[in-house]
Amino acid sequence: IHGVNCTGDVTLGNSVIGDDLATAIANSLNVMLGVYTVDVSSNHMSDRGIAAIISSLDFAFVRSLDFHKTRMKDKSIAALTALISESSNLTNLNLSDTRFSDNFLRILTTALKTTRCPTTNVKTHFSTLTNLSLSNNNIGDHGVINLSLVLPDLAYLTTLTLSWNQIRT
C-alpha cells in the first residue's frame, strides 16, 4: 500500500489488493474524516471490494477518484453513482480501462444530471467534474449519445477522454 496520509490522499494503486483487504481498508476509511483523493487503480479487487471502498467514502469530501484498470460491475457502479449523485466536490474521475459499456455509461450519466427542486426550480445537485476519463472501454455510439445529452449539465468539465472505445459514427 503506497499510502494514506494526513492530507486526505489514499493511494492504493498497483498494490495487489484483494477483496478482504479492500473491505478492511473500507472499514478504516469509514472512521477517517477528510478523504479527498482515492486511487485504487490496477488492483485485484472484484466488484465487492471496489463497492466497499466507494461506499465508505464521504461524498462531501471526495474530490478525485481513480479506478482505472479495475473491473467495475453492478455493485461498484451502484455505489459510484450514489456517490456522484450526492457529491458536491468531485472534480476528477478516472474510469479508463474499466470495461464500461453503453449501459453502465447510461447509468453514470443519470447520476451526472443536474437535478432541481420541482417547486422552486433551485438546483439540488449539479456536477462539479472538470476531468472525466472513459478511455479504453466498451463504449459505443449509444453510450456517447447518452453522454452527449448530459454534457450541457457538466458546466465545469474541461477534459473528456473517450479514446480507445467502440465509437463509430
Side-chain angles (χ1 to χ4, degrees):
I1 297 173
H2 300 287
V4 177
N5 64 32
C6 60
T7 60
D9 299 327
V10 178
T11 309
L12 306 170
N14 296 303
S15 299
V16 195
I17 294 171
D19 287 336
D20 292 337
L21 185 53
T23 302
I25 290 168
N27 290 333
S28 298
L29 292 175
N30 271 329
V31 297
M32 290 178 64
L33 290 176
V35 174
Y36 299 109
T37 64
V38 178
D39 175 0
V40 292
S41 59
S42 301
N43 277 291
H44 294 234
M45 293 178 281
S46 74
D47 197 42
R48 180 175 62 92
I50 298 167
I53 287 180
I54 295 171
S55 297
S56 70
L57 300 172
D58 187 335
F59 65 84
F61 291 106
V62 176
R63 290 185 176 87
S64 179
L65 297 172
D66 187 346
F67 293 106
H68 82 273
K69 291 189 178 181
T70 60
R71 297 299 174 241
M72 301 181 89
K73 293 186 180 176
D74 294 337
K75 286 181 185 178
S76 53
I77 296 294
L80 179 63
T81 56
L83 185 138
I84 289 171
S85 294
E86 298 295 326
S87 175
S88 57
N89 291 310
L90 185 63
T91 58
N92 296 299
L93 182 58
N94 187 348
L95 298 171
S96 59
D97 201 9
T98 55
R99 295 190 182 167
F100 249 52
S101 65
D102 288 349
N103 187 47
F104 286 146
L105 186 56
R106 181 185 52 78
I107 295 166
L108 177 71
T109 57
T110 300
L112 290 170
K113 285 183 182 177
T114 298
T115 55
R116 297 178 180 272
C117 176
T119 55
T120 63
N121 202 32
V122 173
K123 289 181 183 178
T124 56
H125 172 261
F126 61 93
S127 174
T128 55
L129 276 181
T130 58
N131 300 300
L132 175 60
S133 180
L134 296 166
S135 63
N136 201 26
N137 281 299
N138 297 316
I139 299 169
D141 295 340
H142 293 292
V144 173
I145 289 169
N146 281 326
L147 180 61
S148 71
L149 296 174
V150 78
L151 284 176
D153 290 337
L154 304 177
Y156 299 102
L157 191 67
T158 57
T159 305
L160 173 63
T161 309
L162 292 167
S163 59
W164 295 99
N165 276 288
Q166 309 301 316
I167 305 164
R168 299 290 176 236
T169 57

